[in-house]
Amino acid sequence: MVLEALGQSSRNEVDLESKPRLQENINNNRPPKRIKHVHLHKSTDNIKGIIGKKSESESEQEDSPSFADNGLYASLPLPNDHDTAIREYTATEKYRKSIYVEAFNLALDTVLKDELHLFSDSEQEIFAKYRSLEYEPQFLYIRLFLRKTSAWFRVRKLGYYNDISDMSSACKTLQCDEVGFAENEKAITTLEEAVTLLNGEELKLIAKEAKATGSNKVELMAALKKASGGQVGLGSKGQLGLSFDKKGNYVTRDTHFVKKTLEMTGPLIRLKSSATTLFERVHLVFYRSSKWTEKSLTTMILARTQRRNFPDYIVSRTSNIFPTRASLLDFEESIKIQSSVDEILENNGSTTMEGLENVGTILDRIYEKWKRLIAEDQERKHGNEEEELENVYLRRFTAAWVLTRVVHKGGYVLGRLKDYAREYEVLNALLAQRGHHPARKGGWYQRRALIEENYMASITPGPTSNTTSEANKKIWLRKALKTCEAGLQDPETHLIYHYDLQKRIMKLEPRLRIPKKDQHDFGHSRLIQPEKRKIMGERVFQEIEANDSAMGRKTIWRDEKEGGECSVEEMCLSYYRSEGWKGYHSEGGILKTLFAYLFYDIMFLYLPNVFQTQFQTCPLDLFTDGFYPARLSEINHRLAELSNGGAAAIIENIDREHRCRRTCIVGLDWSFAKEDLLEIVDCIGGDALGIICKVFCQEYRQRASGLPDLFLWNPKKKLCMFSEVKSENDRLGDKQRLWIHVLSGAGVKVELCAAVARNQK
């Protein structure tokens, strides 16, 4: 395997003396000269007085990786015991140095071993400088790197004293000219930057001296900046007048207050962007992802402490995901653009008009480049379908893939800005390309048909000057109809979009006065509706404060069968149990667990590119349209095996091999008892089980959600049933309707359970 065990030393030492030796030593792992702590002058900080304080970063929380994130995050377990894992690791006899240093160095070693060609000579010199650092400066750099890399930190408040014996010396090592990884407080020259370092009490003291007033920190900062606008300094007794420093230079009030601020903060440290940008690029190459936080390293930490065990598979780390340095830089730039757009639009619809216009500006800037990249990609793939299938996952690491998502977001913004003509142009371009974000194509067809039906006739003139507005409207209605038909015929349109496209066709055809005999009949493909059941229960009404809204609040119900308060799903589950059913409120957990059991060996079958590290819970192409066709023969053989009643034997074998280790496999929840799973597959039946698993194989990303709330089975009658629980004002979503259709079509009973409060007010 490419990745070595974490217990081994992860430092490939590099000499600093020359570029040729640098290249040679990186490849041959020769030891470098060490850069020791640099004692520029004796520290006056009272280090002993603050040893033992809790690190500021320990309380910082980071976002969990998104399910749809690029790269390895989609295949990594979501850790919820990060701090516990670190404590257990540091308590072991194997602990020699920080897991952060080992994990950071492992990522760097792996990248430099196979993908050194992506980095320039000057960048390789920075790697050599990092290698030559002693342990404590390395540790400090990594911990600051994992925090806000652009922020200033007070040296006396850095609490890493279990790992760093001389904090002042470690900081000065990073700040010295020989290393140049960080800068000190001398880089702060403006009052605007200085006052941001102060807390409220410190700012009040500075403001009091300047006779600046304000009721909060923002007002105090503004008043202080206004008060310091003059060029006259403060004398030695705090009186206004001309003031000079020791060199005879005038001291402005700005300079005076900057000095006072830095006296309060004490020595400072901030990482320089030249090095942090490079190490972020290393992260991107190693993790095939766009974010690096402490959670990026947690997977390795959990594996080290054996809190996570991963499946056995052959790691095939691809060294040509980025074939050239230029392709890596293009991808990196596109990731940053994508991040900017996401940051603007992350407010769930409350984005300001200025924000929307900013996204529109970004779209204008990248649109022509995106079209050029798409054209180059289409030309490169032409006539090479087999290679395209093999590299379906690798497409995600191209600028074209990332910018396609940016263009998609830009199209959404154009709709918000009511620029429908431009949005229509963008949608046409998105639908014309192939291979990039195919799962979104159904939504693009839907949106294009809606624009053609409702807006294009009013903003686009007819084909001739004699075309009436009514005739022009019919032209666009026909185009909308053709768009819907094209969407239904496109193999890249996921089934979830078929229902909406069919509804629009059924609405458009009567408006176009198409004869009944020529209209589409979707009766054979109409979604199967679930059976309906009403369950009466006692709802517990909560007191709602005046400034609180009931919207989105989970309702609380009384469990009349077992007592106590519970959710609406648990209340209904208790009712079903009283009727003789066994069940779980699993929301798809049962089916995803069964799929993980039954397709374990197929998921971890060796294929190029899909296993990039030893810490994955699934192949990287599971979330793409390439998973099913790449394993078509094996999947069809397994589906036939399930139809012939082979599910129980497969579950027995996988459970025997992996339950004691609780191996991390995507979707598998070890809390479900093996005996229950065996009863369930017996009740579902092989044919229905095969249909369900085939849906997962074809569209795992789309089908991992939307499953009914409750799974129920009766081992005596050999029956199983799903139940989707809805309280008042709840409606089925598109994914839920589709799963109900799939399950019902497979012969599995599905109920839509309406929970009704008998004590409604």
Side-chain angles (χ1 to χ4, degrees):
M1 290 186 182
V2 172
L3 297 182
E4 300 174 349
L6 277 170
Q8 299 176 3
S9 175
S10 55
R11 294 185 181 182
N12 289 339
E13 317 286 5
V14 185
D15 200 338
L16 276 168
E17 293 181 355
S18 65
K19 293 180 182 178
R21 288 191 63 188
L22 169 66
Q23 177 72 37
E24 178 184 354
N25 290 344
I26 287 179
N27 293 334
N28 297 331
N29 299 332
R30 295 182 183 175
K33 295 179 180 179
R34 283 294 193 192
I35 295 179
K36 298 183 178 180
H37 289 340
V38 181
H39 297 275
L40 301 180
H41 54 81
K42 187 174 181 180
S43 172
T44 58
D45 294 331
N46 183 12
I47 298 295
K48 293 182 181 180
I50 54 176
I51 288 179
K53 285 187 178 181
K54 185 176 180 181
S55 165
E56 291 177 345
S57 67
E58 290 179 7
S59 61
E60 293 179 2
Q61 297 181 353
E62 287 123 335
D63 295 333
S64 298
S66 168
F67 183 78
D69 187 22
N70 277 332
L72 294 173
Y73 278 144
S75 71
L76 300 180
L78 298 178
N80 54 14
D81 48 3
H82 175 268
D83 295 333
T84 303
I86 295 176
R87 285 195 297 271
E88 290 189 3
Y89 167 73
T90 54
T92 63
E93 295 181 0
K94 296 179 181 179
Y95 175 67
R96 299 192 307 277
K97 53 191 175 186
S98 168
I99 188 64
Y100 293 109
V101 176
E102 292 195 28
F104 187 97
N105 288 346
L106 176 62
L108 182 58
D109 291 346
T110 304
V111 170
L112 295 187
K113 179 179 179 181
D114 296 320
E115 295 165 281
L116 185 63
H117 63 280
L118 299 175
F119 302 94
S120 66
D121 289 345
S122 60
E123 290 172 338
Q124 292 175 32
E125 288 180 355
I126 294 177
F127 295 143
K129 289 181 181 181
Y130 169 79
R131 298 292 195 193
S132 64
L133 294 174
E134 289 190 337
Y135 167 74
E136 292 189 4
Q138 271 195 358
F139 174 84
L140 177 60
Y141 182 81
I142 293 165
R143 292 312 302 264
L144 296 181
F145 177 82
L146 291 171
R147 296 170 71 176
K148 296 179 180 179
T149 56
S150 61
W152 284 103
F153 298 95
R154 301 189 189 193
V155 172
R156 63 169 176 258
K157 287 191 174 183
L158 294 174
Y160 308 124
Y161 297 102
N162 291 332
D163 292 85
I164 300 178
S165 59
D166 190 341
M167 181 64 70
S168 177
S169 179
C171 289
K172 289 167 184 172
T173 298
L174 296 178
Q175 293 166 337
C176 73
D177 293 338
E178 187 180 8
V179 177
F181 282 3
E183 53 191 346
N184 59 26
E185 62 277 4
K186 293 179 181 179
I188 299 176
T189 58
T190 65
L191 181 62
E192 287 80 8
E193 186 174 12
V195 295
T196 59
L197 305 174
L198 300 175
N199 60 37
E201 293 303 316
E202 293 169 336
L203 186 58
K204 286 179 182 178
L205 292 176
I206 295 287
K208 183 178 180 181
E209 179 180 336
K211 295 183 173 54
T213 59
S215 59
N216 54 49
K217 191 173 181 179
V218 174
E219 291 180 2
L220 284 172
M221 290 173 66
L224 181 59
K225 292 173 186 176
K226 183 178 180 180
S228 66
Q231 292 296 314
V232 179
L234 292 172
S236 59
K237 296 182 180 181
Q239 308 237 345
L240 289 174
L242 292 178
S243 181
F244 302 88
D245 61 17
K246 294 180 180 179
K247 296 181 180 180
N249 298 319
Y250 287 116
V251 177
T252 66
R253 298 190 75 187
D254 267 18
T255 305
H256 171 78
F257 288 127
V258 168
K259 182 179 178 182
K260 295 285 288 186
T261 297
L262 296 180
E263 287 174 357
M264 289 182 173
T265 63
L268 301 170
I269 185 172
R270 180 174 69 178
L271 300 186
K272 289 186 177 180
S273 61
S274 56
T276 58
T277 300
L278 175 59
F279 286 116
E280 286 169 355
R281 186 173 300 149
V282 171
H283 158 266
L284 185 149
V285 175
F286 179 76
Y287 283 99
R288 312 325 196 192
S289 185
S290 60
K291 299 177 183 177
W292 195 349
T293 67
E294 293 192 19
K295 292 295 185 286
S296 302
L297 306 178
T298 298
T299 305
M300 287 188 250
I301 295 170
L302 296 177
R304 177 66 177 269
T305 59
Q306 296 185 342
R307 295 181 67 85
R308 294 287 188 273
N309 293 301
F310 294 87
D312 294 325
Y313 49 80
I314 300 173
V315 174
S316 174
R317 186 170 177 86
T318 311
S319 60
N320 63 344
I321 278 188
F322 305 107
T324 64
R325 174 178 170 80
S327 64
L328 170 61
L329 297 180
D330 278 346
F331 179 73
E332 183 180 32
E333 181 187 11
S334 65
I335 286 289
K336 291 177 180 178
I337 294 171
Q338 175 181 253
S339 178
S340 299
V341 171
D342 287 344
E343 185 176 352
I344 295 172
L345 299 178
E346 66 183 2
N347 296 322
N348 296 324
S350 60
T351 309
T352 63
M353 182 61 65
E354 181 183 2
L356 295 175
E357 290 173 350
N358 288 339
V359 174
T361 302
I362 292 173
L363 175 63
D364 291 337
R365 192 174 76 242
I366 61 98
Y367 190 65
E368 292 303 321
K369 179 180 179 179
W370 169 72
K371 289 201 298 184
R372 175 176 55 79
L373 291 172
I374 289 294
E376 292 173 357
D377 185 68
Q378 303 292 93
E379 183 178 351
R380 187 167 51 249
K381 292 188 301 185
H382 182 67
N384 200 353
E385 296 296 331
E386 291 185 6
E387 183 178 349
E388 180 185 351
L389 178 62
E390 179 179 310
N391 295 325
V392 63
Y393 166 69
L394 302 186
R395 286 204 300 268
R396 296 169 177 268
F397 302 102
T398 63
W401 178 278
V402 179
L403 292 183
T404 300
R405 183 175 181 272
V406 175
V407 172
H408 162 73
K409 294 285 186 180
Y412 159 78
V413 166
L414 292 173
R416 291 278 304 275
L417 295 172
K418 302 188 186 305
D419 189 353
Y420 300 117
R422 182 75 196 285
E423 183 187 5
Y424 187 66
E425 174 196 341
V426 169
L427 287 169
N428 285 333
L430 287 168
L431 286 167
Q433 62 83 31
R434 295 187 64 83
H436 295 86
H437 294 273
R440 299 182 187 272
K441 292 196 77 172
W444 296 334
Y445 280 115
Q446 285 181 338
R447 181 63 183 174
R448 187 171 77 173
L450 182 145
I451 292 174
E452 289 169 335
E453 178 185 354
N454 297 297
Y455 303 114
M456 293 305 294
S458 60
I459 60 180
T460 306
T464 68
S465 59
N466 296 326
T467 305
T468 64
S469 60
E470 191 63 29
N472 192 32
K473 191 170 185 179
K474 283 192 174 183
I475 290 172
W476 284 106
L477 289 178
R478 291 191 187 96
K479 288 185 177 182
L481 180 61
K482 289 183 178 179
T483 294
C484 293
E485 292 171 344
L488 292 174
Q489 294 167 6
D490 192 332
E492 291 186 333
T493 299
H494 284 201
L495 191 60
I496 190 173
Y497 298 107
H498 283 206
Y499 180 67
D500 184 78
L501 292 171
Q502 290 171 358
K503 282 199 306 182
R504 192 171 297 279
I505 287 175
M506 294 169 66
K507 182 177 72 171
L508 287 169
E509 288 178 332
R511 292 181 64 186
L512 288 168
R513 301 186 183 279
I514 294 176
K516 189 73 174 177
K517 62 183 181 61
D518 295 330
Q519 293 182 15
H520 287 82
D521 180 8
F522 295 112
H524 65 284
S525 60
R526 194 164 296 161
L527 294 180
I528 301 173
Q529 299 301 311
E531 298 183 22
K532 295 183 179 180
R533 179 189 293 263
K534 183 182 293 186
I535 294 179
M536 306 292 292
E538 181 183 350
R539 179 176 170 182
V540 179
F541 286 91
Q542 300 169 278
E543 293 294 330
I544 301 176
E545 298 179 5
N547 61 347
D548 194 10
S549 171
M551 289 293 292
R553 292 169 61 99
K554 292 286 287 185
T555 58
I556 298 177
W557 297 70
R558 188 85 60 196
D559 190 334
E560 298 177 349
K561 306 297 181 182
E562 300 179 11
E565 296 179 351
C566 62
S567 66
V568 63
E569 293 88 0
E570 293 296 333
M571 185 271 291
C572 293
L573 181 58
S574 179
Y575 171 84
Y576 280 114
R577 285 172 176 161
S578 70
E579 297 288 312
W581 294 92
K582 300 172 73 172
Y584 289 108
H585 173 207
S586 66
E587 296 184 359
I590 284 285
L591 292 187
K592 286 186 286 187
T593 293
L594 288 175
F595 177 76
Y597 267 100
L598 298 172
F599 283 78
Y600 170 84
D601 55 338
I602 295 175
M603 278 198 292
F604 294 99
L605 178 72
Y606 171 75
L607 285 176
N609 308 322
V610 299
F611 295 110
Q612 298 280 323
T613 78
Q614 62 198 37
F615 307 116
Q616 293 177 219
T617 62
C618 64
L620 295 173
D621 65 343
L622 178 63
F623 310 112
T624 75
D625 293 339
F627 178 82
Y628 179 70
R631 301 162 181 80
L632 185 61
S633 177
E634 292 83 2
I635 290 173
N636 287 340
H637 179 78
R638 179 56 46 84
L639 295 177
E641 190 176 354
L642 297 180
S643 295
N644 292 327
I650 297 172
I651 291 174
E652 289 274 12
N653 291 335
I654 298 299
D655 195 86
R656 182 169 55 252
E657 293 176 9
H658 296 278
R659 182 173 286 274
C660 61
R661 299 177 68 242
R662 300 180 76 84
T663 305
C664 287
I665 306 169
V666 67
L668 198 153
D669 185 345
W670 290 108
S671 65
F672 295 123
K674 179 188 71 174
E675 292 72 23
D676 284 348
L677 297 177
L678 293 174
E679 287 182 358
I680 288 169
V681 296
D682 188 38
C683 292
I684 291 179
D687 290 336
L689 197 58
I691 292 172
I692 293 168
C693 288
K694 186 175 182 180
V695 170
F696 277 123
C697 287
Q698 291 176 327
E699 301 177 315
Y700 193 92
R701 181 189 295 278
Q702 295 289 326
R703 301 294 163 254
S705 59
L707 283 147
D709 296 307
L710 308 181
F711 181 82
L712 309 154
W713 77 98
N714 188 322
K716 294 181 179 179
K717 298 181 179 179
K718 292 191 181 301
L719 295 174
C720 74
M721 177 172 66
F722 290 86
S723 179
E724 176 63 34
V725 178
K726 295 293 182 185
S727 53
E728 63 268 21
N729 301 324
D730 278 349
R731 296 177 59 188
L732 290 172
D734 287 344
K735 291 184 179 180
Q736 292 174 328
R737 285 198 296 265
L738 184 60
W739 262 118
I740 290 171
H741 176 78
V742 170
L743 294 169
S744 301
V748 180
K749 185 178 180 181
V750 184
E751 288 190 347
L752 181 59
C753 178
V756 179
R758 64 170 65 94
N759 58 338
Q760 282 191 13
K761 295 182 180 180

